[in-house]
Amino acid sequence: MKKKNLPKYIHEKFSKPQFNIGDKVKYEFLGNSGWGIILSIHKHDNKISYMVKGHSRSYPCGLKIKEHRSYYAGTIFFEESDAYRKNS
């Protein structure tokens, strides 16, 4: 399968933290979804992952921006989370 090229602005968002520890984000992880809090941020091989606490558990998450996702099992919905942050 041919790897899809990401637009440059999407690649930049995947390679730099877009949220801070303590930010409230909308997430999904293996069927569990809701609003959670970022506990930690990790960088590995030019990719950022976030540990999100929601429903009394912690989930490793990447970002979903438009139709693009980073490769982590869990997902932070960037547009919804960013809109919440800007309206709080």
Side-chain angles (χ1 to χ4, degrees):
M1 180 184 296
K2 187 176 179 182
K3 188 174 180 179
K4 206 177 185 182
N5 288 332
L6 292 174
K8 185 176 181 177
Y9 77 99
I10 297 287
H11 178 71
E12 288 173 356
K13 288 187 184 296
F14 283 165
S15 63
K16 297 177 187 170
Q18 298 301 307
F19 297 100
N20 296 311
I21 293 172
D23 283 353
K24 189 171 185 176
V25 293
K26 186 173 183 182
Y27 76 94
E28 185 275 327
F29 184 84
L30 300 177
N32 292 319
S33 63
W35 289 91
I37 303 295
I38 294 181
L39 297 178
S40 60
I41 301 168
H42 305 276
K43 186 170 186 173
H44 180 71
D45 290 339
N46 205 28
K47 296 276 186 181
I48 302 296
S49 67
Y50 305 84
M51 189 60 72
V52 178
K53 183 174 183 175
H55 300 294
S56 301
R57 295 182 182 220
S58 298
Y59 305 101
C61 296
L63 291 178
K64 178 180 185 284
I65 303 170
K66 299 189 187 278
E67 71 276 7
H68 306 286
R69 291 179 186 253
S70 54
Y71 58 85
Y72 298 95
T75 299
I76 293 172
F77 298 97
F78 178 78
E79 287 87 0
E80 293 94 330
S81 300
D82 194 43
Y84 177 86
R85 175 175 55 185
K86 289 177 180 174
N87 292 321
S88 293

